[in-house]
Amino acid sequence: MRTMTVGLIADTHVPQRLPALPPQVAEVFRGVHLILHAGDLNRWPVLEALARLAPVVAVRGNADLGLALPWREVVEVNSVRIGLVHGHGGWAVYLQNKIRESTLGFEPLRYLRYARSAFPEPVHLIVSGHTHRPHLVRVNGVWLLNPGPVAPDYYVQPGPAVGLLHVRPGEACYEWIDLTSGNARSYALPLEPSPDEFGA
């Protein structure tokens, strides 16, 4: 079975923070088989632009008011099950965290738990957004990844980023791509179970 490549994107915030997607997105996603958008797209033209490149699956983020999108999805690519969620935990949790973070600062483990708890059914990977901070960690044998934002604020990276997931049955490779420099980092993602690293 051939390798399938999935484009990963989150937090585009068009036109709230950017007038349009950066042209580098189309360059990186040229030839992908599927695009997953992890929410906070803001308006339909973002999905229309991405759909000119490949089929798109998107979920609703906290900034996607009025968009009829699901809050989570599970897609299967080459027998690998991928969960897709924005990762803010819902509106009540989002508002509580805004207050909490004003005094305690950013708590990354909270958002990993929100993303993980969205999928009680078996999945191999979970793609999320919301935090505007890229991550790649393994929780109880499940890979959780966030490509980081396309739109500001970038927090811990210099500019916009996206991801590519190369999937074969039973194996995956993840590329994190800085759209400003074009630099990429690659990670092999073993899909067999592993101990829960976070005690969740």
Side-chain angles (χ1 to χ4, degrees), residues 19-184:
L21 290 175
Q24 300 96 315
V25 172
E27 293 168 16
V28 172
F29 285 175
R30 188 170 289 115
V32 302
H33 300 94
L34 177 69
I35 297 170
L36 302 182
H37 194 307
D40 276 6
L41 50 126
N42 284 169
R43 296 290 181 270
W44 287 117
V46 171
L47 293 185
E48 292 165 358
L50 292 173
R52 288 193 282 273
L53 304 171
V56 182
V57 176
V59 292
R60 185 175 64 247
N62 55 283
D64 295 328
L65 301 177
L67 296 184
L69 293 167
W71 75 275
R72 52 153 256 166
E73 284 283 351
V74 176
V75 298
E76 191 165 308
V77 178
N78 273 347
S79 302
V80 173
R81 291 174 55 82
I82 305 168
L84 180 66
V85 69
H86 187 55
H88 62 296
W91 268 103
V93 171
Y94 171 74
L95 295 173
Q96 290 167 4
N97 280 333
K98 281 291 185 188
I99 296 167
R100 181 183 176 97
E101 289 173 5
S102 66
T103 55
L104 298 176
F106 179 67
E107 299 172 286
L109 282 180
R110 296 174 72 81
Y111 294 98
L112 294 176
R113 289 187 180 114
Y114 299 150
R116 182 65 190 95
S117 66
F119 298 95
E121 71 270 44
V123 292
H124 295 97
L125 305 109
I126 297 171
V127 178
S128 65
H130 184 62
T131 64
H132 287 223
R133 293 164 171 88
H135 67 245
L136 175 63
V137 296
R138 204 174 192 189
V139 178
N140 203 23
V142 177
W143 289 100
L144 284 82
L145 56 95
N146 180 336
V150 170
D153 298 310
Y154 301 121
Y155 297 127
V156 296
Q157 65 192 59
V162 295
L164 291 175
L165 192 63
H166 307 284
V167 184
R168 290 178 61 82
E171 61 184 74
C173 177
Y174 173 56
E175 281 185 85
W176 181 84
I177 300 159
D178 180 323
L179 292 180
T180 302
S181 68
N183 292 336

